[in-house]
Amino acid sequence: MEIWINPRCSKCRSALSILDAESAQYTVRRYLEDPPTEDEFRAVLERLGLEPWDITRTGEQVAKELGMNTWPRDEPARERWIAALAEHPMLIQRPIITADDGSAVVGRTEEAVRSVLPE
């Protein structure tokens, strides 16, 4: 599995602690240093079953500067959202965990993190 993290984020550190406590095998991706591509966003959104606006931190300053709260949240606007996430990875909700079985979660809660652990 892979986990997209910002080391300064408490939710990311908590998710890593859970994975470590369960001896999970995972790869860390520091997405601010190694930003996902637009294609990677499309793939992870499909795995999550979410839209780009569902994983966007619209309270961030750059989101306010871009006026993202006024952007349509529909299929024609989808690529605009994906491009913004790729260009400004600090807008990504975190951590995002992609599991080996093809599932993925935004691991903001202990339950979400545990949901991708092998049984």
Side-chain angles (χ1 to χ4, degrees):
M1 82 178 58
E2 181 175 77
I3 181 169
W4 296 0
I5 68 157
N6 174 347
R8 294 180 28 207
C9 168
S10 63
K11 299 280 187 195
C12 293
R13 291 191 307 270
S14 175
L16 291 172
S17 293
I18 294 165
L19 295 176
D20 288 342
E22 296 296 328
S23 300
Q25 299 295 310
Y26 62 90
T27 303
V28 170
R29 181 171 187 172
R30 294 180 178 210
Y31 66 85
L32 294 176
E33 298 164 18
D34 180 15
T37 65
E38 290 183 26
D39 284 341
E40 287 175 306
F41 274 115
R42 287 183 200 96
V44 85
L45 286 165
E46 184 169 328
R47 290 173 77 169
L48 288 166
L50 297 173
E51 293 296 338
W53 45 85
D54 296 326
I55 65 163
T56 301
R57 297 167 52 88
T58 56
E60 293 289 329
Q61 185 59 38
V62 69
K64 292 175 185 173
E65 291 168 6
L66 293 170
M68 293 179 87
N69 282 330
T70 65
W71 291 9
R73 295 177 182 216
D74 57 18
E75 186 60 32
R78 189 172 198 269
E79 289 303 312
R80 181 181 185 192
W81 284 85
I82 290 170
L85 289 171
E87 186 174 342
H88 306 283
M90 75 281 301
L91 294 174
I92 305 168
Q93 278 292 350
R94 62 209 180 227
I96 293 178
I97 305 170
T98 55
D100 295 337
D101 68 1
S103 64
V105 297
V106 178
R108 297 190 60 75
T109 66
E110 181 176 348
E111 295 77 23
V113 174
R114 291 187 181 283
S115 74
V116 294
L117 291 171
E119 294 187 16

